[in-house]
Amino acid sequence: MMLEFLKWLVASKEMAELERWRIEWNEHRRWLAEFPLVGMALDNMRAEVEGNPKEFISDLRDKMRVTLDPCGGEQQIARYVSFIRKGLHN
């Protein structure tokens, strides 16, 4: 109890910011977890902060990309090429 008081006494701005981060993370997790990719990102961030990383952020990004586009970007490239071709014909 005394240690907590000293923390707030010495670093009140930082402690307040930390508390806001905790509250906002929980709020975002509660409201956005129905979207799997958002839940993955928030859970990974919490694990990193707690010192128990599940995976590197670059690996998480790659996993999310595959989840969004299982064709490996082929659909996105096809849409881009189609967009460019339409522009050339106008």
Side-chain angles (χ1 to χ4, degrees), residues 7-35:
K7 287 180 187 177
W8 278 94
L9 184 65
V10 173
S12 60
K13 283 184 181 179
E14 291 81 0
M15 292 295 289
E17 181 180 358
L18 180 60
E19 187 61 23
R20 286 191 304 274
W21 272 100
R22 286 182 187 145
I23 290 167
E24 286 303 316
W25 183 92
N26 284 313
E27 219 31 37
H28 279 72
R29 183 69 174 96
R30 183 165 53 116
W31 284 97
L32 301 174
E34 69 184 84
F35 306 105

Side-chain angles (χ1 to χ4, degrees), residues 23-66:
I23 290 167
E24 286 303 316
W25 183 92
N26 284 313
E27 219 31 37
H28 279 72
R29 183 69 174 96
R30 183 165 53 116
W31 284 97
L32 301 174
E34 69 184 84
F35 306 105
L37 297 177
V38 175
M40 285 170 54
L42 288 170
D43 290 344
N44 192 71
M45 184 175 76
R46 176 169 220 140
E48 286 282 343
V49 170
E50 292 175 345
N52 304 316
K54 293 180 180 181
E55 55 192 321
F56 292 113
I57 195 161
S58 58
D59 295 336
L60 176 64
R61 181 189 60 203
D62 292 343
K63 184 189 296 185
M64 293 170 91
R65 283 181 174 161
V66 168

Side-chain angles (χ1 to χ4, degrees), residues 64-79:
M64 293 170 91
R65 283 181 174 161
V66 168
T67 303
L68 283 173
D69 188 2
C71 297
E74 292 172 16
Q75 291 175 351
Q76 187 174 0
I77 292 169
R79 284 190 295 260

